[in-house]
Structures are given as structure tokens and as C-alpha cells.
Amino acid sequence: MTRPIEDYAMIGDLHTLALVARDGTIDWLCLPRFDSEACFASLLHDDDAGHWALRPVDGEATCSREYLGHSLVLRTRWRAQEGEVEVVDFMPPRGEAADVVRLVRGLRGRVPLTTRLSLRFDYGSLRPWLRTGVRPCVAVAGPHAVWVTATVPWQHEDGVLSASFSVAEGEEVSFVMTYRESHLPAPQRADPGTALAQTREFWRDWVSRCTYHGEWADDVRRSLVLLKGLTYAPTGGIVAAGTTSLPEQPGGVRNWDYRYCWLRDATFTLQALLGTGYVAEARAWREWLVRAVAGDPAKLQIMYGLDGTHRLPETELDWLSGYAGSRPVRVGNAAAAQLQLDVWGEVLDGLHLAREAGLRVTHVAWDLQRALLDWLEGHWDQPDNGLWEVRGPRRHFVHSQVMVWAGLDRAVHSVESHGLDGPVDRWRALRAQIHDEVCARGFDPERNTFTQFYGSKGLDAALLLLPQAGFLPWEDPRMAGTLEAVQRELGHEGFLRRYDPDADRGGDGLPGTEGAFLACTFWLADALQGVGRRREARTLFERLLGLRNDVGLLSEEYDPVAGRQLGNTPQAYSLVGLVNVARHLGGGGTGVVPRVGRAVGHDGAHGATARRPSPEGEQ
């Protein structure tokens, strides 16, 4: 039976993550990194693709679960006929090897339990060689090796480890699964009690640095912890989500691999981190960004691997049936090779935001920005695939052109306010030209709305970002009309789709539909706040908070008719949206981040610039 996406909780060690279902089964784990091959992939197939189940024998047992404080230590309490137990699942922050620790503690009575561990590397296709006559048990398959220790004896049958045992009040049973590359010496396995104490202390220390104390503070902290859990510690890169191929439409083909780092997330992520006091994480993300995009600006990609890898070839895993029959299952992402002009603007905007917030910036960053701007000047008027990575014909997407405008705008501001060198008069002229063209060709006066692309009859939720980019103020009647049109035409049971895939004769190049896009609905809440409809904004934000599962996770999309989450999970874009809207609505932040963009007048002339906070260091 396919478990609902909202059934899953996340544990992780800042290199990878595991998804733990409500029934105690780990259905997804890639080792050693987020983007590695999965050794538990039953999420996308069935138990034969690898899993680790742990639960009471009593089939009628009920459970509740929570994270211990603001951490990624998951506690599940089971109530069975024979008594109560709790299972504590966690991954200690990575040392020399990756560990998954599962502790079973007796709370009342004596409860029989069972566990079943089936390792299947390479997304379920590779059964390891198991040595069970030694302690710990060892599983080896090509480059992969796993050591499994337990305080109860294992049984081995047909490549599966299993155990049946019982736990009385005050007793504890522990399991530790340790991964390391097979050519390396056996690592030291984690001591469960010590590892638990150290993991909880790590998260207590990390959360103590949060400077947000406004409304919804606990919700913000939970989202920040999950966002931290999506961070690849060695490089500072943040993956878009922890999974691949969870569908936008169950049974459909809109299934993508999100275990990579998207450049367009940069500005919103920097806002969320800087606005809540996480300067070190913001700096690491900014530095990852600079390293990843260094080189030929003509070869800028929309996404990169965790370490800045460029090649992310997309392949289909035909031996997997897919989540709820949603095929194909994809690894890699062909959209990495698309032309999406907005990414140039997003990178320039993100680096500008870092400078405005006072992060110490080297001259290399400005040299990079100059190279990106030089390329943009010669290619800004090309059609592209847009931020939604459509696989249909290239178009002149309005959001793409606005972000090109934003990149030029930030460059002009950097020269004017920071004394950096550059052809500012030429940039000003091109900025004005693009502004005029977008307003002339990307606006439908009959409907009083901007459109998805020049000449389109469709709309795009990203149009709500124009004021945040500084392109037009919310007071402009064209933005008021666009907000009304987007709500009317893209609204879905009170939430927002990102665009209409059937508009303009199905111009996104893919069959099927999708759910309401959660990041876009957060943008709608921000937009309602921007036009002064604060009560509506708060109501919508509270409704969005209610979509999270019992431990605070949000995926990419939501089906309001079926009442279920859709798409890859946990989704960084959704979590960042939650944090930023809470900051804007709830106040209480003491971070050092200005809002995106500068106010512009109705004719595109610039007003006052954002206040610059006290700098950490100058350019």
C-alpha cells in the first residue's frame, strides 16, 4: 500500500536524509549523499526496493510522534495491547561515517516488536552480500558497505535481516546501521546513548542562534531546522528537496529529481537565513553560489550538484514502478541544460542582497557579476524556458525579463551606492528599455494584468513577485489587476497553481495536471500583505500552516480536493516561503536583511533604496 506523502518524517545528518513513515518504516535513504543511489527505495516501488521496518507486533497498535525539541531527533510513541514503548530515530551529524540509530525504550508493560531490514543498493536493483556470522553484520555491494549492530540477535533469510523481541518498562534495545565506502577500513560505530546526547546538543546549540522572536516563532524554527537538514554541510549547498520522482499528479509523468541545488532559490533562501540570524549558513550558501557559477557566464545553469557539479544527466529507472504507479522514476535532471534567463537575474540579485546585508564580499564576486552582466547585455532578448522549466517551446516569459531587469538594477545600485566600477550609463539605458518592453508587450490592458509570456492568454503566479523584485510598487493599478487576475484564474480551492498547463494550447509540453503550488501560495499571502489586505494574508498563511504534517513537513504541492501533499518532500522552496511570510507578517526578526528590490514609481523611476544594515565587512 502506498503511504501518503504526509505520512513521512525526516531524519538527517547534513549530508543526506531518511524518510520515516508513521508506521515506523524507513522507506527512503540515499548514501552517502542526498543525490547518491538509494539503499532504501520502497518509497518508489515496494518493499523489494529496500526498507527498514520497526514496530510493535500488535497490528492494532496506535502511535503519536514528535521531534525532541527543535531537532531532527524523531520520537514515536506506540500504544499496544501489552503496554507502551517509544522508538527514537536519528542520524548523528556526520563524522567519519554515516549512522542511522534506532532506540526502542519500554514505557509500560512488556511489548513484543519486530524489525525487518532489507538493504537494496542502486535504487533497489542491487542485493548486497551479507555476512551474518560476525558481529556486527556486514553488507557489501560494489562501492557500498554497511555494518549493522543490534542488542538483540538477527535472523537472516533471503537477503533480509529480521528480529523479534520484546521490551519491558525501563529496558532499551538499540540498532545502529553504519555506512562507509567499501574500500575504506571499517569505521567506529556510534554509541547510541552518546550519539543521542551529542545530536540533541548539536540542535539545541544551532536553534539557540535563531533571532526570530515574532509570531509563529515555533513554526519558523521548525522550518529552519528542516531547511538546515537539507543543507549539504561540506559545501553549504541546499538541496531543493530530499527525494526524486514523488509525483505532481499521482499516476502521472510529472516526476522530477529535486536532489540538487537550484540557483533561483538563492535570494529567497538568503532572505530567510539572514532574516533569522543565520549569517554563517547564509555565507556558506553565498560562497557555494559563487563557486558553482564561476567560469563561462554563457554556460550558467539553473541548477548544480551538491558540490557544484555541472553534469546532471537525466535517466529513467524502469525497474521501479513509481510512487502510486507514477512513472517514470527519474534520476538526474535534464532541465539543468535549459536556458532560463531569470537565473542570471536571480544570481545577481542574490549576490547584491549579500552585499547589502553586510556579508564580506571579495572582488571575485563583483568580477563574476560583471561577466554575467556582459553576457546578459548580448542575450537578454532571447526566448527561454522560464522559471517553471517548461519542456515546450521557448517564450519571452515576463518573469524572466523582469529578473533580467532586476539584475541590471542591482548592478546600477552597486555602482551608485558601493563605488564599484562598471558601465553604469549603459546599464541604466538597458534597464529602462527592458522595463518599457515588459510593460508594453507583457501586459494585457483589456484584462488589466501581466501575462505569463508576451502575447500569452495565460497567467503565472511568479507575476506576484514583480513588486518584490522592485519592478513596480504594489500601489500600481497594473499590479492590483494582476493580483486579482491571478487569484481568479489560478486559484484552486483557496490556494494557487503556478500556471495553467492548458493555457495557450498546453504550452508546457507535458501531459497531465498538478496540484496547488505551495511556494506560490506563500507568494500570494505576501502579495495580499503588500496591497494592505493583511487580514486575508494572515488567514491564508494560517491555512498554509495547517497543511503541514504532524511534524511540520511540507512538500512541493497540495491537492485541496483529496486533502493530500504532492511532489517531492521536504521542499526547501515551501519552507523558505513559510519563514519569509512569517517574518513579513509576524515581525520579531532581528536579522540583517533588507526586503528584495527597491521601490519604483509608476513610470519605472526609482524611489528610495532599501536601508542598508550595519555591515559585517566592506567590499
Side-chain angles (χ1 to χ4, degrees):
M1 180 182 296
T2 299
R3 299 176 178 90
I5 292 171
E6 55 270 21
D7 257 20
Y8 288 98
M10 160 189 170
I11 58 175
D13 65 356
L14 311 186
H15 286 238
T16 189
L17 62 77
L19 292 184
V20 187
R22 189 184 300 274
D23 70 357
T25 303
I26 299 178
D27 282 324
W28 182 253
L29 174 62
C30 300
L31 289 168
R33 308 191 331 176
F34 293 103
D35 58 352
S36 299
E37 302 164 358
C39 63
F40 298 146
S42 56
L43 177 71
L44 301 177
H45 190 62
D46 58 27
D47 285 353
D48 290 339
H51 69 286
W52 187 357
L54 174 58
R55 60 160 294 145
V57 173
D58 178 8
E60 302 299 320
T62 60
C63 72
S64 61
R65 59 185 182 172
E66 62 182 351
Y67 287 112
L68 297 181
H70 294 296
S71 76
L72 289 180
V73 178
L74 179 69
R75 178 172 63 194
T76 304
R77 290 192 170 179
W78 287 96
R79 288 164 294 281
Q81 291 182 358
E82 302 86 352
E84 294 184 23
V85 295
E86 68 177 19
V87 178
V88 178
D89 293 317
F90 65 99
M91 297 182 70
R94 184 75 61 91
E96 66 170 346
D99 296 296
V100 178
V101 182
R102 313 195 77 176
L103 302 177
V104 184
R105 293 168 168 168
L107 302 178
R108 180 177 59 82
R110 176 173 288 275
V111 180
L113 295 100
T114 182
T115 185
R116 176 183 170 91
L117 196 162
S118 173
L119 283 162
R120 297 291 183 267
F121 293 99
D122 191 23
Y123 302 100
S125 71
L126 186 58
R127 178 181 294 191
W129 171 69
L130 273 171
R131 291 176 59 198
T132 58
V134 296
R135 292 179 64 91
C137 299
V138 183
V140 178
H144 310 290
V146 164
W147 293 260
V148 183
T149 60
T151 54
V152 294
W154 288 109
Q155 301 296 318
H156 173 216
E157 183 178 358
D158 196 26
V160 176
L161 295 174
S162 62
S164 297
F165 59 98
S166 61
V167 178
E169 182 177 346
E171 294 180 348
E172 179 176 288
V173 169
S174 64
F175 302 89
V176 180
M177 188 184 93
T178 302
Y179 173 92
R180 201 177 197 189
E181 290 82 355
S182 60
H183 68 279
L184 296 174
Q188 181 178 354
R189 266 77 68 196
D191 173 76
T194 302
L196 176 59
Q198 292 175 344
T199 303
R200 296 193 67 184
E201 179 59 29
F202 169 85
W203 286 109
R204 275 193 296 265
D205 177 70
W206 190 81
V207 169
S208 70
R209 292 160 43 203
C210 181
T211 59
Y212 181 81
H213 302 291
E215 199 170 357
W216 308 293
D218 284 344
D219 303 313
V220 167
R221 282 168 171 76
R222 171 48 48 199
S223 293
L224 288 168
V225 166
L226 295 169
L227 191 62
K228 177 68 171 177
L230 292 171
T231 303
Y232 183 60
T235 65
I238 301 174
V239 296
T243 56
T244 180
S245 300
L246 290 181
E248 297 171 9
Q249 179 186 25
V253 302
R254 296 171 181 258
N255 319 315
W256 315 109
D257 193 348
Y258 277 15
R259 298 171 298 156
Y260 307 110
C261 305
W262 265 253
L263 297 190
R264 74 167 45 87
D265 296 359
T267 298
F268 290 113
T269 301
L270 285 169
Q271 278 188 302
L273 293 172
L274 289 168
T276 52
Y278 289 104
V279 176
E281 283 74 12
R283 185 186 300 111
W285 176 224
R286 191 275 315 277
E287 291 174 356
W288 176 91
L289 178 66
V290 171
R291 290 193 306 270
V293 306
D296 184 353
K299 296 182 178 179
L300 186 72
Q301 297 182 180
I302 69 166
M303 74 183 85
Y304 294 87
L306 304 174
D307 54 4
T309 296
H310 285 229
R311 294 189 182 276
L312 306 173
E314 182 174 299
T315 57
E316 298 180 1
L317 308 184
D318 57 9
W319 62 88
L320 295 177
S321 59
Y323 178 90
S326 305
R327 304 181 72 180
V329 172
R330 296 181 173 95
V331 296
N333 200 309
Q338 287 185 347
L339 174 65
Q340 298 180 23
L341 288 173
D342 68 292
V343 170
W344 275 261
E346 301 284 2
V347 171
L348 292 165
D349 194 19
L351 293 174
H352 174 76
L353 175 64
R355 182 178 292 111
E356 287 290 289
L359 293 184
R360 190 180 302 277
V361 181
T362 67
H363 288 287
V364 173
W366 180 242
D367 292 342
L368 170 64
Q369 288 172 269
R370 287 287 307 270
L372 295 174
L373 288 158
D374 289 345
W375 188 89
L376 266 186
E377 286 185 86
H379 300 83
W380 67 271
D381 56 350
Q382 293 185 7
D384 73 329
N385 298 97
L387 87 161
W388 301 128
E389 302 165 9
V390 299
R391 301 201 174 192
R394 290 182 175 179
R395 313 278 193 177
H396 287 98
F397 286 95
V398 169
H399 174 263
S400 294
Q401 292 299 306
V402 167
M403 290 314 301
V404 171
W405 175 93
L408 290 160
D409 178 71
R410 308 313 187 251
V412 170
H413 179 68
S414 295
V415 173
E416 293 174 343
S417 300
H418 296 278
L420 301 174
D421 65 303
V424 67
D425 290 337
R426 196 170 73 219
W427 290 341
R428 287 194 193 101
L430 182 55
R431 179 182 67 180
Q433 180 183 347
I434 294 172
H435 196 283
D436 291 345
E437 179 176 292
V438 169
C439 291
R441 300 181 62 191
F443 183 77
D444 183 344
E446 293 184 3
R447 297 158 64 204
N448 191 31
T449 181
F450 285 96
T451 59
Q452 184 176 25
F453 52 83
Y454 293 171
S456 171
K457 296 299 182 183
L459 299 178
D460 186 340
L463 298 169
L464 299 180
L465 300 177
L466 268 60
Q468 289 200 42
F471 189 79
L472 285 175
W474 278 116
E475 297 78 27
D476 191 296
R478 290 169 293 188
M479 287 313 308
T482 298
L483 172 57
E484 292 177 5
V486 165
Q487 281 189 281
R488 180 178 63 251
E489 298 186 24
L490 298 184
H492 185 30
E493 301 291 333
F495 302 103
L496 211 61
R497 295 174 296 161
R498 52 185 177 173
Y499 60 91
D500 181 358
D502 295 324
D504 302 299
R505 299 180 180 178
D508 76 352
L510 290 167
T513 61
E514 58 183 34
F517 203 80
L518 294 176
C520 295
T521 309
F522 282 113
W523 297 346
L524 175 59
D526 237 351
L528 293 169
Q529 155 85 350
V531 298
R533 294 158 61 180
R534 186 176 178 84
R535 180 175 297 177
E536 292 177 67
R538 290 177 62 89
T539 299
L540 178 57
F541 182 63
E542 293 279 6
R543 192 177 179 196
L544 283 164
L545 289 178
L547 302 186
R548 297 171 302 161
N549 72 358
D550 56 321
V551 288
L553 271 66
L554 277 175
S555 66
E556 181 184 32
E557 298 183 5
Y558 183 74
D559 181 346
V561 176
R564 61 178 298 177
Q565 296 187 23
L566 297 173
N568 287 306
T569 194
Q571 178 83 8
Y573 222 16
S574 301
L575 298 170
V576 166
L578 187 157
V579 172
N580 284 332
V581 175
R583 288 176 45 244
H584 301 159
L585 283 174
T590 57
V592 290
V593 57
R595 288 292 294 270
V596 175
R598 294 181 286 161
V600 294
H602 293 254
D603 59 355
H606 293 272
T609 60
R611 179 182 63 83
R612 189 183 185 200
S614 300
E616 166 197 304
E618 294 298 331
Q619 170 78 26

